[in-house]
Amino acid sequence: MRFIAAVLLVCGAAYAAVETETVVYREGGTELRGYLARNPAVTEPMPGILIVHDWNGLGEQAKNTARRLAELGYAAFALDMYGEGKLAADTAQAAEWSSALKNDVALARRRFVAALDVLDEQPGVDPERIAALGYCFGGTIVLEMARLGVDVQAVVSFHGNLASQVPEDQRDLAAAILVCHGADDPLVPRDEVKAFLDEMKAADARFEFIQYQGAVHSFTNPAANSEASRFHATAARRSWIAMLNFLELVFAGTQAYK
């Protein structure tokens, strides 16, 4: 596959070659500050990945993910859902900001599409191979964008909530979906998991749902260290590999994901 060959050629020079920049863009009257990473050694048209941060705002986890993906030959854009690149001061503020967007899917969609336009406009990005991934709050957002039929080929949710604020008669699932979920996540009730699986099956969605035993919420975040949200090295590594395999299949046009 051409893209895989490009990845193998790039990996040797990878990290040192990655270029990053802060990109200022707008949604309505709000200034947004995203983080773009790409590898100039990649000369073929490259897939683009949008990254939606957790409820704290655009922090190091999302930026590090952008750099790691750029090493592999993707153009990666970590978007800013809150505006001005701001980070929550504490969990109360994070809950307030994230809830405002989860409960206003129209606003979330506008913020997401504004970032999607930035990624689409980057030189060398293949607009037919665009995916989005998100962590926690960001995982919830990318699933909502898939339900709204936003024009991406795939979405990946890492330990996101699974319930939806999108009315059933407005759902238009077209993107391929991967959910990486902590099997022992206390913040996502089992009833919510069952309802999500039933929703996907009823919609005849192209989806995978992977549970990691022993993992709770935020299992990919090295900074998470509470009873409910804790880093789990094995689940983090396995879910990263699952994501890369999933994207490879989607972007290659494998029959299961057409």
Side-chain angles (χ1 to χ4, degrees):
M1 298 176 184
R2 291 182 181 177
F3 178 61
I4 302 305
V7 167
L8 294 174
L9 289 172
V10 166
C11 282
Y15 192 77
V18 168
E19 296 178 347
T20 65
E21 64 175 301
T22 297
V23 177
V24 178
Y25 60 111
R26 304 191 72 84
E27 179 277 309
T30 303
E31 180 181 282
L32 307 163
R33 299 175 188 170
Y35 182 84
L36 179 68
R38 60 186 301 150
N39 194 318
V42 179
T43 57
E44 294 188 7
M46 69 194 85
I49 311 292
L50 278 182
I51 303 159
V52 187
H53 53 74
D54 66 14
W55 74 343
N56 290 304
L58 179 48
E60 187 54 34
Q61 183 182 27
K63 292 178 179 179
N64 183 54
T65 297
R67 293 190 294 268
R68 291 175 71 187
L69 289 169
E71 289 178 30
L72 297 176
Y74 294 98
F77 186 53
L79 57 78
D80 174 15
M81 290 297 285
Y82 294 156
E84 300 178 352
K86 61 188 181 185
L87 294 168
D90 50 38
T91 57
Q93 189 169 67
E96 177 187 352
W97 290 354
S98 61
S99 293
L101 282 158
K102 286 192 291 187
N103 292 328
D104 188 345
V105 291
L107 174 59
R109 186 184 189 281
R110 292 197 300 273
R111 296 276 169 92
F112 184 91
V113 170
L116 181 60
D117 289 343
V118 171
L119 183 59
D120 280 342
E121 292 167 1
Q122 297 306 310
V125 171
D126 182 352
E128 300 301 318
R129 292 188 293 167
I130 303 289
L133 66 88
Y135 297 104
C136 298
F137 157 74
T140 303
I141 293 298
V142 300
L143 290 175
E144 293 288 63
M145 295 304 104
R147 290 178 173 109
L148 288 169
V150 173
D151 188 19
V152 294
Q153 282 64 60
V155 301
V156 182
S157 170
F158 292 98
H159 40 78
N161 287 89
L162 306 174
S164 179
Q165 298 297 318
V166 179
E168 289 188 20
D169 62 355
Q170 295 180 23
R171 296 180 191 179
D172 181 23
L173 282 165
I177 295 170
L178 170 64
V179 172
C180 296
H181 178 70
D184 299 319
D185 189 339
L187 304 182
V188 182
R190 293 187 184 277
D191 288 349
E192 188 173 313
V193 172
K194 182 180 184 304
F196 175 79
L197 295 175
D198 289 345
E199 175 195 358
M200 294 295 106
K201 292 172 185 176
D204 197 24
R206 299 171 297 150
F207 82 103
E208 294 182 38
F209 186 90
I210 305 174
Q211 297 193 83
Y212 299 96
Q213 297 303 314
V216 293
H217 209 65
S218 301
F219 61 78
T220 66
N221 187 351
N225 188 29
S226 70
E227 184 176 351
S229 300
R230 184 181 300 110
F231 179 63
H232 191 294
T234 300
R237 179 172 176 76
R238 289 175 61 197
S239 62
W240 179 262
I241 293 169
M243 176 197 68
L244 294 180
N245 289 338
F246 172 76
L247 293 177
E248 175 189 330
L249 292 171
V250 170
F251 291 143
T254 302
Q255 185 64 39
Y257 293 107
K258 285 185 178 179

